[in-house]
Amino acid sequence: MHSLTRRSLLLGAAASSAVALLPPTGAAALSRDLVSRASRTEPTALVRVLLTDAFRDVMAEFDLTEHVHDGHVEVVAWPGDRARLRAAGITWEEVEPDLGARFVADRLVEAAHARRRPQERTGYRVLEEYIGDMDRLVQLAPDLVRPLVLDSPLTHEGRTIHGLVIGADVAVADTDGRPQAMMCGLHHAREWPSGELTIMFAEALVEGWLDVDAEVTGLLEQLCVFVIPVSNPDGFVRSRETVPYVEEAAFVEGLTLLAQEGPYHRKNLLKHTPLPGAFEPQQGVDINRNYPYRWGGVGASATTTSQTHFGPGPGSEPEIEALTSLFRSTQILAAISNHTSGDLVLRPWGWTPAEPPDEAALAALGDDMADPMGYTSGSWNEALYPGTGIIDDWMYGTLGTYCYTLEHGSSFHPVYGDNVPGYFADNWQAHLKMLHAALDRAQHAVLVGTAAPGTVLTLVKDVSIPISRAVDGDTRHQEHLEATMVVGADGTIEWHVNPSVVAETLEAGGPPEPYVLTAEAPDGTVRTWTGVARRGDVIEVLPAEG
């Protein structure tokens, strides 16, 4: 057992390493089946394709990365994809001829680092390490951190999504009306740095609090921060922990290690009926194409084997149901969804190149976050490629949250020690800028008033959002938003909330949607307020009685 020290808690009591992926000495035999399959199948590769009109017409059927530069996009070419590209008249250049071999080489470098530096984290966490390290942060700072478990619904393989709530006096941090922010990672299972950067963000907040860092302390005294490192636990376990390679495999002459055997798995683990010739990583739904806003449109695919398959319905996947249930019951004002790769800060919209109503503010914050990292800042649709059913559009289009996707680095799971700590150091200022943005009263509304201590306020709005593909003949999806606040001992209400008027209404010039607020006092007395809230508003909702 490791001693429970502050340093061990912050770093993880047992530093992870690539060795965790390697079987014990003597258990390294490859199965005959793996060898035979590897010898007869072309290796999965990374190729670079020019973004021509011809490719844009078919690109939803290929496994695009988020590495888009100089008019080209990098594509994971699975077995058979090069033939499909060739048949479509599309040319490419090879970036990495064998992703399976690249994966093995990177893990062996990490194993060597682990042997030389056993006291340091030199490899990526597995799921149980994420959960254990979050528990350790709770132990380290119980007044600042508490566990968050999204246990309903369970994922397809029966897992829960774990996270943290962070803020001063954390027991009431998410119910006392203070501004809220959120960071999440690992929507896409193979993007291992995205989860690491998210939990490192939590670790840095705790460390800053304990060190009485003025900026971190000031932020956490005012904010409630939700941190969810692993949004897709089933897919992540498949990618991170189910890998058919052994240390000796790198030295077996003539052996091709197939990337499709695990590490490059992207989606969740919904099991579709297999198509002839399909292989396991083609199963599942891309949960970052399953959010309901504009679900089923451009940049996503109805083909179940596509890596951008949007699923059987808007919000159909248990991971998205769990996440959106949390988000609908909160007032998250600013958010980051971490991904790899591409060195990008992306903002709404993904579904259209048109600018959203809050483009000036969204662009200013995106540019501000991108600047210290040297990342490119732009909309999903323009800086990357079209995408529908994505978290940014749903959070902004449904809730009004300023939500950004940050794409880090140049590969899915590069050598940990040579890359991930540097990514985090480069991103720390951007993370702080997101937290400061959540405090900016010009970009959200504040509801004020008075009520008896212990009064429970419930803020409700029902909103209809557009989807791109009709479901049972309907092209709208109904969302019920319901958040709560509990009035503190001083009897004052100061609730920082998103605007009630959604982006689609602002674009169309339609009648503004109101909030309905219900306040139930401990003695059973009920008061209500109905009104429209816009960005920058400070609205008295419940004046002093009598």
Side-chain angles (χ1 to χ4, degrees), residues 381-415:
N381 192 285
E382 296 284 275
L384 187 58
Y385 39 67
T388 47
I390 61 175
I391 185 173
D392 309 58
D393 284 8
W394 183 84
M395 292 201 77
Y396 175 68
T398 305
L399 309 177
T401 304
Y402 286 176
C403 184
Y404 297 81
T405 289
L406 270 57
E407 299 280 359
H408 308 281
S410 59
S411 61
F412 296 125
H413 26 53
V415 174

PDB file of all heavy atoms in Angstrom, residues 381-415:
ATOM      1  N   ASN A 381     -18.211  24.001 -37.948  1.00  0.00           N
ATOM      2  CA  ASN A 381     -18.521  23.816 -39.362  1.00  0.00           C
ATOM      3  C   ASN A 381     -17.429  24.360 -40.269  1.00  0.00           C
ATOM      4  O   ASN A 381     -17.122  23.757 -41.303  1.00  0.00           O
ATOM      5  CB  ASN A 381     -19.862  24.482 -39.679  1.00  0.00           C
ATOM      6  CG  ASN A 381     -20.399  24.107 -41.043  1.00  0.00           C
ATOM      7  OD1 ASN A 381     -19.910  24.586 -42.060  1.00  0.00           O
ATOM      8  ND2 ASN A 381     -21.414  23.258 -41.053  1.00  0.00           N
ATOM      9  N   GLU A 382     -16.816  25.471 -39.886  1.00  0.00           N
ATOM     10  CA  GLU A 382     -15.857  26.142 -40.754  1.00  0.00           C
ATOM     11  C   GLU A 382     -14.419  25.728 -40.466  1.00  0.00           C
ATOM     12  O   GLU A 382     -13.636  25.509 -41.392  1.00  0.00           O
ATOM     13  CB  GLU A 382     -15.999  27.662 -40.604  1.00  0.00           C
ATOM     14  CG  GLU A 382     -17.344  28.195 -41.070  1.00  0.00           C
ATOM     15  CD  GLU A 382     -17.431  28.251 -42.579  1.00  0.00           C
ATOM     16  OE1 GLU A 382     -16.985  29.246 -43.175  1.00  0.00           O
ATOM     17  OE2 GLU A 382     -17.952  27.279 -43.168  1.00  0.00           O
ATOM     18  N   ALA A 383     -14.046  25.613 -39.197  1.00  0.00           N
ATOM     19  CA  ALA A 383     -12.654  25.298 -38.854  1.00  0.00           C
ATOM     20  C   ALA A 383     -12.373  23.804 -38.925  1.00  0.00           C
ATOM     21  O   ALA A 383     -11.220  23.397 -39.046  1.00  0.00           O
ATOM     22  CB  ALA A 383     -12.325  25.812 -37.454  1.00  0.00           C
ATOM     23  N   LEU A 384     -13.420  22.981 -38.852  1.00  0.00           N
ATOM     24  CA  LEU A 384     -13.240  21.535 -38.909  1.00  0.00           C
ATOM     25  C   LEU A 384     -13.999  21.012 -40.125  1.00  0.00           C
ATOM     26  O   LEU A 384     -13.495  21.013 -41.238  1.00  0.00           O
ATOM     27  CB  LEU A 384     -13.734  20.892 -37.608  1.00  0.00           C
ATOM     28  CG  LEU A 384     -13.476  19.401 -37.421  1.00  0.00           C
ATOM     29  CD1 LEU A 384     -11.987  19.098 -37.499  1.00  0.00           C
ATOM     30  CD2 LEU A 384     -14.047  18.916 -36.095  1.00  0.00           C
ATOM     31  N   TYR A 385     -15.206  20.573 -39.920  1.00  0.00           N
ATOM     32  CA  TYR A 385     -16.095  20.123 -40.986  1.00  0.00           C
ATOM     33  C   TYR A 385     -17.491  20.060 -40.377  1.00  0.00           C
ATOM     34  O   TYR A 385     -17.653  20.150 -39.160  1.00  0.00           O
ATOM     35  CB  TYR A 385     -15.675  18.756 -41.554  1.00  0.00           C
ATOM     36  CG  TYR A 385     -15.178  17.746 -40.552  1.00  0.00           C
ATOM     37  CD1 TYR A 385     -16.030  17.199 -39.589  1.00  0.00           C
ATOM     38  CD2 TYR A 385     -13.852  17.334 -40.546  1.00  0.00           C
ATOM     39  CE1 TYR A 385     -15.587  16.281 -38.666  1.00  0.00           C
ATOM     40  CE2 TYR A 385     -13.386  16.402 -39.621  1.00  0.00           C
ATOM     41  CZ  TYR A 385     -14.258  15.884 -38.688  1.00  0.00           C
ATOM     42  OH  TYR A 385     -13.814  14.973 -37.767  1.00  0.00           O
ATOM     43  N   PRO A 386     -18.546  19.925 -41.197  1.00  0.00           N
ATOM     44  CA  PRO A 386     -19.896  19.909 -40.626  1.00  0.00           C
ATOM     45  C   PRO A 386     -20.083  18.758 -39.646  1.00  0.00           C
ATOM     46  O   PRO A 386     -19.538  17.665 -39.805  1.00  0.00           O
ATOM     47  CB  PRO A 386     -20.792  19.733 -41.861  1.00  0.00           C
ATOM     48  CG  PRO A 386     -19.980  20.251 -42.993  1.00  0.00           C
ATOM     49  CD  PRO A 386     -18.558  19.893 -42.667  1.00  0.00           C
ATOM     50  N   GLY A 387     -20.869  19.012 -38.611  1.00  0.00           N
ATOM     51  CA  GLY A 387     -21.187  17.983 -37.637  1.00  0.00           C
ATOM     52  C   GLY A 387     -22.541  18.266 -37.010  1.00  0.00           C
ATOM     53  O   GLY A 387     -22.845  19.423 -36.695  1.00  0.00           O
ATOM     54  N   THR A 388     -23.352  17.250 -36.852  1.00  0.00           N
ATOM     55  CA  THR A 388     -24.654  17.405 -36.190  1.00  0.00           C
ATOM     56  C   THR A 388     -24.763  16.389 -35.058  1.00  0.00           C
ATOM     57  O   THR A 388     -24.106  15.350 -35.056  1.00  0.00           O
ATOM     58  CB  THR A 388     -25.816  17.192 -37.179  1.00  0.00           C
ATOM     59  OG1 THR A 388     -25.579  16.000 -37.944  1.00  0.00           O
ATOM     60  CG2 THR A 388     -25.951  18.368 -38.126  1.00  0.00           C
ATOM     61  N   GLY A 389     -25.599  16.734 -34.090  1.00  0.00           N
ATOM     62  CA  GLY A 389     -25.734  15.879 -32.912  1.00  0.00           C
ATOM     63  C   GLY A 389     -24.549  15.994 -31.971  1.00  0.00           C
ATOM     64  O   GLY A 389     -24.285  15.080 -31.193  1.00  0.00           O
ATOM     65  N   ILE A 390     -23.860  17.143 -31.989  1.00  0.00           N
ATOM     66  CA  ILE A 390     -22.646  17.324 -31.185  1.00  0.00           C
ATOM     67  C   ILE A 390     -22.979  18.077 -29.898  1.00  0.00           C
ATOM     68  O   ILE A 390     -23.962  18.809 -29.817  1.00  0.00           O
ATOM     69  CB  ILE A 390     -21.553  18.070 -31.980  1.00  0.00           C
ATOM     70  CG1 ILE A 390     -22.020  19.465 -32.388  1.00  0.00           C
ATOM     71  CG2 ILE A 390     -21.149  17.264 -33.215  1.00  0.00           C
ATOM     72  CD1 ILE A 390     -20.960  20.308 -33.078  1.00  0.00           C
ATOM     73  N   ILE A 391     -22.112  17.914 -28.904  1.00  0.00           N
ATOM     74  CA  ILE A 391     -22.369  18.507 -27.595  1.00  0.00           C
ATOM     75  C   ILE A 391     -22.418  20.028 -27.655  1.00  0.00           C
ATOM     76  O   ILE A 391     -23.273  20.648 -27.007  1.00  0.00           O
ATOM     77  CB  ILE A 391     -21.332  18.026 -26.549  1.00  0.00           C
ATOM     78  CG1 ILE A 391     -21.703  18.559 -25.150  1.00  0.00           C
ATOM     79  CG2 ILE A 391     -19.916  18.397 -26.945  1.00  0.00           C
ATOM     80  CD1 ILE A 391     -20.843  18.000 -24.031  1.00  0.00           C
ATOM     81  N   ASP A 392     -21.544  20.652 -28.435  1.00  0.00           N
ATOM     82  CA  ASP A 392     -21.501  22.117 -28.492  1.00  0.00           C
ATOM     83  C   ASP A 392     -22.839  22.688 -28.929  1.00  0.00           C
ATOM     84  O   ASP A 392     -23.363  23.629 -28.330  1.00  0.00           O
ATOM     85  CB  ASP A 392     -20.411  22.586 -29.459  1.00  0.00           C
ATOM     86  CG  ASP A 392     -19.064  21.955 -29.209  1.00  0.00           C
ATOM     87  OD1 ASP A 392     -18.989  20.715 -29.256  1.00  0.00           O
ATOM     88  OD2 ASP A 392     -18.094  22.690 -28.983  1.00  0.00           O
ATOM     89  N   ASP A 393     -23.389  22.134 -30.025  1.00  0.00           N
ATOM     90  CA  ASP A 393     -24.646  22.652 -30.553  1.00  0.00           C
ATOM     91  C   ASP A 393     -25.800  22.383 -29.602  1.00  0.00           C
ATOM     92  O   ASP A 393     -26.686  23.227 -29.428  1.00  0.00           O
ATOM     93  CB  ASP A 393     -24.939  22.032 -31.914  1.00  0.00           C
ATOM     94  CG  ASP A 393     -24.089  22.620 -33.030  1.00  0.00           C
ATOM     95  OD1 ASP A 393     -23.158  23.399 -32.731  1.00  0.00           O
ATOM     96  OD2 ASP A 393     -24.333  22.292 -34.209  1.00  0.00           O
ATOM     97  N   TRP A 394     -25.815  21.179 -28.981  1.00  0.00           N
ATOM     98  CA  TRP A 394     -26.926  20.886 -28.072  1.00  0.00           C
ATOM     99  C   TRP A 394     -26.881  21.807 -26.857  1.00  0.00           C
ATOM    100  O   TRP A 394     -27.914  22.370 -26.454  1.00  0.00           O
ATOM    101  CB  TRP A 394     -26.889  19.421 -27.615  1.00  0.00           C
ATOM    102  CG  TRP A 394     -28.062  19.076 -26.735  1.00  0.00           C
ATOM    103  CD1 TRP A 394     -29.313  18.715 -27.152  1.00  0.00           C
ATOM    104  CD2 TRP A 394     -28.108  19.118 -25.306  1.00  0.00           C
ATOM    105  NE1 TRP A 394     -30.134  18.517 -26.057  1.00  0.00           N
ATOM    106  CE2 TRP A 394     -29.418  18.759 -24.906  1.00  0.00           C
ATOM    107  CE3 TRP A 394     -27.174  19.413 -24.320  1.00  0.00           C
ATOM    108  CZ2 TRP A 394     -29.812  18.686 -23.582  1.00  0.00           C
ATOM    109  CZ3 TRP A 394     -27.557  19.347 -22.991  1.00  0.00           C
ATOM    110  CH2 TRP A 394     -28.872  18.985 -22.631  1.00  0.00           C
ATOM    111  N   MET A 395     -25.720  21.969 -26.245  1.00  0.00           N
ATOM    112  CA  MET A 395     -25.653  22.792 -25.036  1.00  0.00           C
ATOM    113  C   MET A 395     -25.956  24.254 -25.339  1.00  0.00           C
ATOM    114  O   MET A 395     -26.658  24.921 -24.581  1.00  0.00           O
ATOM    115  CB  MET A 395     -24.291  22.639 -24.362  1.00  0.00           C
ATOM    116  CG  MET A 395     -24.070  21.256 -23.785  1.00  0.00           C
ATOM    117  SD  MET A 395     -22.807  21.157 -22.507  1.00  0.00           S
ATOM    118  CE  MET A 395     -23.678  21.822 -21.083  1.00  0.00           C
ATOM    119  N   TYR A 396     -25.447  24.741 -26.471  1.00  0.00           N
ATOM    120  CA  TYR A 396     -25.723  26.142 -26.818  1.00  0.00           C
ATOM    121  C   TYR A 396     -27.158  26.295 -27.322  1.00  0.00           C
ATOM    122  O   TYR A 396     -27.883  27.206 -26.901  1.00  0.00           O
ATOM    123  CB  TYR A 396     -24.729  26.627 -27.869  1.00  0.00           C
ATOM    124  CG  TYR A 396     -25.039  28.026 -28.362  1.00  0.00           C
ATOM    125  CD1 TYR A 396     -24.892  29.127 -27.525  1.00  0.00           C
ATOM    126  CD2 TYR A 396     -25.511  28.232 -29.660  1.00  0.00           C
ATOM    127  CE1 TYR A 396     -25.201  30.420 -27.968  1.00  0.00           C
ATOM    128  CE2 TYR A 396     -25.813  29.509 -30.109  1.00  0.00           C
ATOM    129  CZ  TYR A 396     -25.661  30.597 -29.266  1.00  0.00           C
ATOM    130  OH  TYR A 396     -25.969  31.856 -29.702  1.00  0.00           O
ATOM    131  N   GLY A 397     -27.595  25.403 -28.221  1.00  0.00           N
ATOM    132  CA  GLY A 397     -28.914  25.549 -28.827  1.00  0.00           C
ATOM    133  C   GLY A 397     -30.062  25.244 -27.883  1.00  0.00           C
ATOM    134  O   GLY A 397     -31.147  25.801 -28.025  1.00  0.00           O
ATOM    135  N   THR A 398     -29.840  24.376 -26.894  1.00  0.00           N
ATOM    136  CA  THR A 398     -30.902  23.986 -25.960  1.00  0.00           C
ATOM    137  C   THR A 398     -30.847  24.784 -24.663  1.00  0.00           C
ATOM    138  O   THR A 398     -31.877  25.247 -24.164  1.00  0.00           O
ATOM    139  CB  THR A 398     -30.786  22.488 -25.635  1.00  0.00           C
ATOM    140  OG1 THR A 398     -30.807  21.744 -26.850  1.00  0.00           O
ATOM    141  CG2 THR A 398     -31.916  22.030 -24.730  1.00  0.00           C
ATOM    142  N   LEU A 399     -29.641  24.913 -24.113  1.00  0.00           N
ATOM    143  CA  LEU A 399     -29.483  25.524 -22.793  1.00  0.00           C
ATOM    144  C   LEU A 399     -29.006  26.974 -22.849  1.00  0.00           C
ATOM    145  O   LEU A 399     -29.214  27.717 -21.885  1.00  0.00           O
ATOM    146  CB  LEU A 399     -28.486  24.716 -21.957  1.00  0.00           C
ATOM    147  CG  LEU A 399     -28.713  23.211 -21.855  1.00  0.00           C
ATOM    148  CD1 LEU A 399     -27.594  22.571 -21.046  1.00  0.00           C
ATOM    149  CD2 LEU A 399     -30.070  22.907 -21.241  1.00  0.00           C
ATOM    150  N   GLY A 400     -28.311  27.341 -23.920  1.00  0.00           N
ATOM    151  CA  GLY A 400     -27.697  28.657 -23.986  1.00  0.00           C
ATOM    152  C   GLY A 400     -26.266  28.677 -23.475  1.00  0.00           C
ATOM    153  O   GLY A 400     -25.648  29.735 -23.369  1.00  0.00           O
ATOM    154  N   THR A 401     -25.702  27.500 -23.167  1.00  0.00           N
ATOM    155  CA  THR A 401     -24.349  27.396 -22.624  1.00  0.00           C
ATOM    156  C   THR A 401     -23.313  27.719 -23.694  1.00  0.00           C
ATOM    157  O   THR A 401     -23.418  27.252 -24.831  1.00  0.00           O
ATOM    158  CB  THR A 401     -24.098  25.965 -22.119  1.00  0.00           C
ATOM    159  OG1 THR A 401     -25.113  25.637 -21.159  1.00  0.00           O
ATOM    160  CG2 THR A 401     -22.725  25.827 -21.495  1.00  0.00           C
ATOM    161  N   TYR A 402     -22.291  28.465 -23.343  1.00  0.00           N
ATOM    162  CA  TYR A 402     -21.145  28.660 -24.229  1.00  0.00           C
ATOM    163  C   TYR A 402     -20.262  27.414 -24.114  1.00  0.00           C
ATOM    164  O   TYR A 402     -19.502  27.259 -23.166  1.00  0.00           O
ATOM    165  CB  TYR A 402     -20.359  29.907 -23.837  1.00  0.00           C
ATOM    166  CG  TYR A 402     -21.033  31.223 -24.190  1.00  0.00           C
ATOM    167  CD1 TYR A 402     -20.460  32.439 -23.811  1.00  0.00           C
ATOM    168  CD2 TYR A 402     -22.230  31.264 -24.889  1.00  0.00           C
ATOM    169  CE1 TYR A 402     -21.058  33.654 -24.141  1.00  0.00           C
ATOM    170  CE2 TYR A 402     -22.844  32.469 -25.212  1.00  0.00           C
ATOM    171  CZ  TYR A 402     -22.257  33.652 -24.838  1.00  0.00           C
ATOM    172  OH  TYR A 402     -22.853  34.855 -25.165  1.00  0.00           O
ATOM    173  N   CYS A 403     -20.387  26.528 -25.084  1.00  0.00           N
ATOM    174  CA  CYS A 403     -19.716  25.227 -25.033  1.00  0.00           C
ATOM    175  C   CYS A 403     -18.710  25.115 -26.175  1.00  0.00           C
ATOM    176  O   CYS A 403     -19.031  25.432 -27.325  1.00  0.00           O
ATOM    177  CB  CYS A 403     -20.736  24.102 -25.124  1.00  0.00           C
ATOM    178  SG  CYS A 403     -20.011  22.452 -24.959  1.00  0.00           S
ATOM    179  N   TYR A 404     -17.510  24.626 -25.850  1.00  0.00           N
ATOM    180  CA  TYR A 404     -16.403  24.547 -26.813  1.00  0.00           C
ATOM    181  C   TYR A 404     -15.827  23.137 -26.841  1.00  0.00           C
ATOM    182  O   TYR A 404     -15.733  22.467 -25.798  1.00  0.00           O
ATOM    183  CB  TYR A 404     -15.281  25.519 -26.432  1.00  0.00           C
ATOM    184  CG  TYR A 404     -15.703  26.962 -26.465  1.00  0.00           C
ATOM    185  CD1 TYR A 404     -16.405  27.523 -25.401  1.00  0.00           C
ATOM    186  CD2 TYR A 404     -15.424  27.770 -27.568  1.00  0.00           C
ATOM    187  CE1 TYR A 404     -16.814  28.853 -25.436  1.00  0.00           C
ATOM    188  CE2 TYR A 404     -15.830  29.096 -27.611  1.00  0.00           C
ATOM    189  CZ  TYR A 404     -16.524  29.635 -26.540  1.00  0.00           C
ATOM    190  OH  TYR A 404     -16.929  30.946 -26.578  1.00  0.00           O
ATOM    191  N   THR A 405     -15.425  22.718 -28.012  1.00  0.00           N
ATOM    192  CA  THR A 405     -14.634  21.494 -28.168  1.00  0.00           C
ATOM    193  C   THR A 405     -13.183  21.891 -28.339  1.00  0.00           C
ATOM    194  O   THR A 405     -12.853  22.698 -29.218  1.00  0.00           O
ATOM    195  CB  THR A 405     -15.106  20.691 -29.394  1.00  0.00           C
ATOM    196  OG1 THR A 405     -16.381  20.111 -29.112  1.00  0.00           O
ATOM    197  CG2 THR A 405     -14.119  19.584 -29.733  1.00  0.00           C
ATOM    198  N   LEU A 406     -12.309  21.336 -27.498  1.00  0.00           N
ATOM    199  CA  LEU A 406     -10.865  21.554 -27.631  1.00  0.00           C
ATOM    200  C   LEU A 406     -10.240  20.271 -28.158  1.00  0.00           C
ATOM    201  O   LEU A 406     -10.401  19.197 -27.556  1.00  0.00           O
ATOM    202  CB  LEU A 406     -10.231  21.945 -26.298  1.00  0.00           C
ATOM    203  CG  LEU A 406     -10.179  23.460 -25.994  1.00  0.00           C
ATOM    204  CD1 LEU A 406     -11.556  24.100 -26.020  1.00  0.00           C
ATOM    205  CD2 LEU A 406      -9.479  23.719 -24.672  1.00  0.00           C
ATOM    206  N   GLU A 407      -9.571  20.374 -29.306  1.00  0.00           N
ATOM    207  CA  GLU A 407      -8.882  19.250 -29.939  1.00  0.00           C
ATOM    208  C   GLU A 407      -7.389  19.403 -29.673  1.00  0.00           C
ATOM    209  O   GLU A 407      -6.795  20.404 -30.073  1.00  0.00           O
ATOM    210  CB  GLU A 407      -9.149  19.239 -31.449  1.00  0.00           C
ATOM    211  CG  GLU A 407     -10.616  19.092 -31.817  1.00  0.00           C
ATOM    212  CD  GLU A 407     -11.105  17.666 -31.735  1.00  0.00           C
ATOM    213  OE1 GLU A 407     -10.287  16.784 -31.407  1.00  0.00           O
ATOM    214  OE2 GLU A 407     -12.293  17.427 -31.999  1.00  0.00           O
ATOM    215  N   HIS A 408      -6.797  18.396 -29.043  1.00  0.00           N
ATOM    216  CA  HIS A 408      -5.424  18.512 -28.563  1.00  0.00           C
ATOM    217  C   HIS A 408      -4.472  17.591 -29.317  1.00  0.00           C
ATOM    218  O   HIS A 408      -4.776  16.416 -29.547  1.00  0.00           O
ATOM    219  CB  HIS A 408      -5.350  18.161 -27.077  1.00  0.00           C
ATOM    220  CG  HIS A 408      -6.334  18.905 -26.223  1.00  0.00           C
ATOM    221  ND1 HIS A 408      -6.135  20.209 -25.819  1.00  0.00           N
ATOM    222  CD2 HIS A 408      -7.529  18.535 -25.699  1.00  0.00           C
ATOM    223  CE1 HIS A 408      -7.161  20.601 -25.079  1.00  0.00           C
ATOM    224  NE2 HIS A 408      -8.017  19.611 -24.994  1.00  0.00           N
ATOM    225  N   GLY A 409      -3.307  18.111 -29.672  1.00  0.00           N
ATOM    226  CA  GLY A 409      -2.232  17.286 -30.176  1.00  0.00           C
ATOM    227  C   GLY A 409      -2.431  16.830 -31.604  1.00  0.00           C
ATOM    228  O   GLY A 409      -3.235  17.385 -32.368  1.00  0.00           O
ATOM    229  N   SER A 410      -1.706  15.767 -31.972  1.00  0.00           N
ATOM    230  CA  SER A 410      -1.693  15.331 -33.363  1.00  0.00           C
ATOM    231  C   SER A 410      -1.974  13.842 -33.520  1.00  0.00           C
ATOM    232  O   SER A 410      -1.886  13.322 -34.631  1.00  0.00           O
ATOM    233  CB  SER A 410      -0.332  15.652 -33.998  1.00  0.00           C
ATOM    234  OG  SER A 410       0.714  15.009 -33.285  1.00  0.00           O
ATOM    235  N   SER A 411      -2.318  13.130 -32.445  1.00  0.00           N
ATOM    236  CA  SER A 411      -2.660  11.710 -32.572  1.00  0.00           C
ATOM    237  C   SER A 411      -3.545  11.304 -31.400  1.00  0.00           C
ATOM    238  O   SER A 411      -3.693  12.045 -30.428  1.00  0.00           O
ATOM    239  CB  SER A 411      -1.401  10.841 -32.623  1.00  0.00           C
ATOM    240  OG  SER A 411      -0.636  10.973 -31.448  1.00  0.00           O
ATOM    241  N   PHE A 412      -4.142  10.118 -31.505  1.00  0.00           N
ATOM    242  CA  PHE A 412      -5.157   9.703 -30.541  1.00  0.00           C
ATOM    243  C   PHE A 412      -4.579   9.402 -29.165  1.00  0.00           C
ATOM    244  O   PHE A 412      -5.158   9.776 -28.151  1.00  0.00           O
ATOM    245  CB  PHE A 412      -5.895   8.471 -31.057  1.00  0.00           C
ATOM    246  CG  PHE A 412      -6.673   8.714 -32.312  1.00  0.00           C
ATOM    247  CD1 PHE A 412      -6.456   7.936 -33.438  1.00  0.00           C
ATOM    248  CD2 PHE A 412      -7.616   9.719 -32.376  1.00  0.00           C
ATOM    249  CE1 PHE A 412      -7.177   8.149 -34.599  1.00  0.00           C
ATOM    250  CE2 PHE A 412      -8.343   9.952 -33.531  1.00  0.00           C
ATOM    251  CZ  PHE A 412      -8.117   9.168 -34.651  1.00  0.00           C
ATOM    252  N   HIS A 413      -3.508   8.648 -29.100  1.00  0.00           N
ATOM    253  CA  HIS A 413      -2.917   8.279 -27.817  1.00  0.00           C
ATOM    254  C   HIS A 413      -1.403   8.220 -27.952  1.00  0.00           C
ATOM    255  O   HIS A 413      -0.813   7.132 -27.944  1.00  0.00           O
ATOM    256  CB  HIS A 413      -3.479   6.971 -27.269  1.00  0.00           C
ATOM    257  CG  HIS A 413      -4.019   6.027 -28.310  1.00  0.00           C
ATOM    258  ND1 HIS A 413      -3.277   5.618 -29.408  1.00  0.00           N
ATOM    259  CD2 HIS A 413      -5.219   5.411 -28.413  1.00  0.00           C
ATOM    260  CE1 HIS A 413      -4.012   4.797 -30.127  1.00  0.00           C
ATOM    261  NE2 HIS A 413      -5.190   4.654 -29.555  1.00  0.00           N
ATOM    262  N   PRO A 414      -0.778   9.410 -28.073  1.00  0.00           N
ATOM    263  CA  PRO A 414       0.678   9.470 -28.201  1.00  0.00           C
ATOM    264  C   PRO A 414       1.360   9.048 -26.903  1.00  0.00           C
ATOM    265  O   PRO A 414       0.708   8.872 -25.870  1.00  0.00           O
ATOM    266  CB  PRO A 414       0.929  10.950 -28.494  1.00  0.00           C
ATOM    267  CG  PRO A 414      -0.195  11.659 -27.797  1.00  0.00           C
ATOM    268  CD  PRO A 414      -1.384  10.746 -27.980  1.00  0.00           C
ATOM    269  N   VAL A 415       2.666   8.888 -26.959  1.00  0.00           N
ATOM    270  CA  VAL A 415       3.434   8.549 -25.761  1.00  0.00           C
ATOM    271  C   VAL A 415       3.070   9.536 -24.653  1.00  0.00           C
ATOM    272  O   VAL A 415       3.172  10.751 -24.827  1.00  0.00           O
ATOM    273  CB  VAL A 415       4.940   8.588 -26.050  1.00  0.00           C
ATOM    274  CG1 VAL A 415       5.743   8.388 -24.769  1.00  0.00           C
ATOM    275  CG2 VAL A 415       5.305   7.518 -27.083  1.00  0.00           C
TER     276      VAL A 415
END
